[in-house]
Amino acid sequence: MATRRALLIGPRRLTSAYAERRAMAAAASGPAAVGNPAPDFSLPDDSGQTVSLADCRGRNTVLFFYPQAMTAGCTREVCAFRDSLASFNQLDAVVFGISSDSVEKQLAFKQAHNLNFKLLSDAGGTVRSLYGATMVMGLIPSRITFVIDKKGVIRHTYQAMLAAEAHVEEARKALETLAQSQ
């Protein structure tokens, strides 16, 4: 009987992996794809104030989705953005970190690491879904960065779960390329 059970579970796993690959492919060509207008949203920031993407028009915008506040990888990522914020300001870019953590947890995370940019609370995961920043292996929210130009068009995306600090360099390079073409 154990063998039969293993055979039944096997196809389910394959089906689940197949579905995940299809979802990732759909997200890559979906509304939050390079060259498409960035989906607009409004979310509370770490102080409870509402931030709308539409309010950022006229400036380049970096949105980085991270899995969870107060974790090692996410701390490295937000601190790397903090330490590089001057270079983003020189490239006329505003930076926002987004996770599903509560406003209160975002504020505690910001204060604990002296962050100099806003963290947005996407408690229901609506914006994460809108941007196709899906779950990795169905368990962990993905780590993905979007660079949006002054007109609100997505110009670059970068996704890497383990290379948290690389998101900063990828975003900076994309903004430098944008600056040369504007």
Side-chain angles (χ1 to χ4, degrees), residues 26-42:
S29 61
V34 171
N36 288 353
D40 195 19
F41 63 84
S42 294

Side-chain angles (χ1 to χ4, degrees), residues 20-81:
E20 185 174 330
R21 283 194 304 274
R22 282 183 52 112
M24 289 175 68
S29 61
V34 171
N36 288 353
D40 195 19
F41 63 84
S42 294
L43 288 174
D45 68 11
D46 45 68
S47 67
Q49 299 297 310
T50 300
V51 172
S52 295
L53 184 62
D55 295 339
C56 299
R57 293 277 156 77
R59 290 193 74 189
N60 297 310
T61 304
V62 176
L63 300 178
F64 69 95
F65 290 86
Y66 61 97
Q68 186 177 7
M70 305 294 192
T71 59
C74 296
T75 298
R76 286 193 311 273
E77 183 177 22
V78 298
C79 289
F81 272 106

